[in-house]
Amino acid sequence: MTKLVSFPSGGAGEDLGWFATAALFDDVADFVLRHVTDEHAKRDVTAGAASGYLFIGDLPEPDQTNVLVALRDEFPGHVDSVVHPPDVTSRMDDKETFVARAKSLAQMASRSIALRDASGAMPKGKE
């Protein structure tokens, strides 16, 4: 089953969608949850993940910005060291495609940050 991570773009109704398989999505949901501090938001992330979606744009600030920045800056390293370390990916048939798909999440977060910044929705000093 395909699952969704939705990123804010700074414009109403213009969210960016990233789709993943259940296994990759679960790793992303765990990563996102570690960067959320608001207790109510943690419950929402947990419930959304159980249903197969994460709406990053629904997170309160500063969690929303912190999650976007962490996905952009930290997630690629997380993929290499935790999600698919070299000893695991060396045994995969299509490792380049899978790792690239995982890392494309960081590119989507970067695009979301840029669009939010351009629209004035990004808090100053957080880009």
Side-chain angles (χ1 to χ4, degrees), residues 62-94:
D63 286 337
Q64 184 178 142
T65 298
N66 292 341
V67 165
L68 288 170
V69 170
L71 286 169
R72 179 192 67 192
D73 298 346
E74 299 170 26
F75 193 70
H78 179 75
V79 169
D80 290 337
S81 64
V82 177
V83 178
H84 292 288
D87 62 319
V88 172
T89 55
S90 66
R91 297 187 306 266
M92 294 173 69
D93 290 334
D94 197 14

Side-chain angles (χ1 to χ4, degrees), residues 14-34:
E14 299 175 10
D15 288 350
L16 308 170
W18 183 86
F19 299 90
T21 60
L24 181 55
F25 177 86
D26 291 344
D27 286 324
V28 171
D30 290 342
F31 182 88
V32 167
L33 197 55
R34 285 194 303 275

